[in-house]
Amino acid sequence: MDKANFFKDVYDVVRQIPAGRVTSYGAIAQYLGVKSGARMVGWAMNASFTEKEYVPAHRVVNRKGLLTGKHHFSNPNAMEDRLKAEGIEVENDQITQFEKYYWDPSKELEI
DNA sequence: AAGCTGACTATGG
DNA sequence: GCCATAGCCAGCT
């Protein structure tokens, strides 16, 4: 609202990610209708830390299933730790069987 | 105000 | 299959 609706939409989608599932920045951007707004999604995640409501940014990874944003957490180990806590197997900062855990908002939430 | 940066993705070599 | 380049938009310096 105060900020771009884009950010709010990103937070809303990320919060709707079910536990044990992950998605990619591009998927969210595509769901929001921003074709190449993947960077904005990542930027929104960075801004999400300023948000009062918690945003499960650890469930959002890049298209390769790599935990690129883990370094932005309070503790770089927190991201994979949370993912593991949700039953997602993470190895070498990368989600194993990424396709298995992949959650596409445009498919699950439907447009 | 202008330019750089950035948690990305797709394409080309 | 990996490295380099381009496109994208908004925030920050």
Side-chain angles (χ1 to χ4, degrees):
Chain A
M1 190 182 266
D2 303 278
K3 303 182 180 183
N5 279 2
F6 180 79
F7 278 48
K8 182 178 177 293
D9 289 338
V10 172
Y11 303 147
D12 188 45
V13 174
V14 174
R15 287 181 190 129
Q16 290 180 66
I17 301 174
R21 298 288 191 207
V22 292
T23 191
S24 63
Y25 305 93
I28 297 172
Q30 200 171 63
Y31 171 72
L32 296 178
V34 185
K35 194 171 185 179
S36 300
R39 284 176 137 170
M40 304 300 85
V41 176
W43 197 252
M45 293 291 95
N46 187 23
S48 73
F49 280 84
T50 63
E51 287 289 307
K52 296 178 180 177
E53 303 245 357
Y54 172 69
V55 180
H58 60 276
R59 293 182 189 152
V60 185
V61 294
N62 70 346
R63 208 188 183 293
K64 301 169 190 169
L66 194 67
L67 281 58
T68 50
K70 70 173 218 166
H71 227 238
H72 285 261
F73 282 78
S74 307
N75 183 21
N77 202 36
M79 188 170 185
E80 64 176 88
D81 186 52
R82 282 174 179 162
L83 289 173
K84 288 179 181 176
E86 294 183 355
I88 299 175
E89 299 179 45
V90 180
E91 187 174 322
N92 194 14
D93 301 337
Q94 184 173 321
I95 298 174
T96 59
Q97 300 180 13
F98 177 57
E99 297 179 11
K100 179 181 176 183
Y101 300 115
Y102 188 71
W103 180 83
D104 192 341
S106 61
K107 291 180 180 178
E108 302 299 323
L109 298 178
E110 300 181 14
I111 301 175

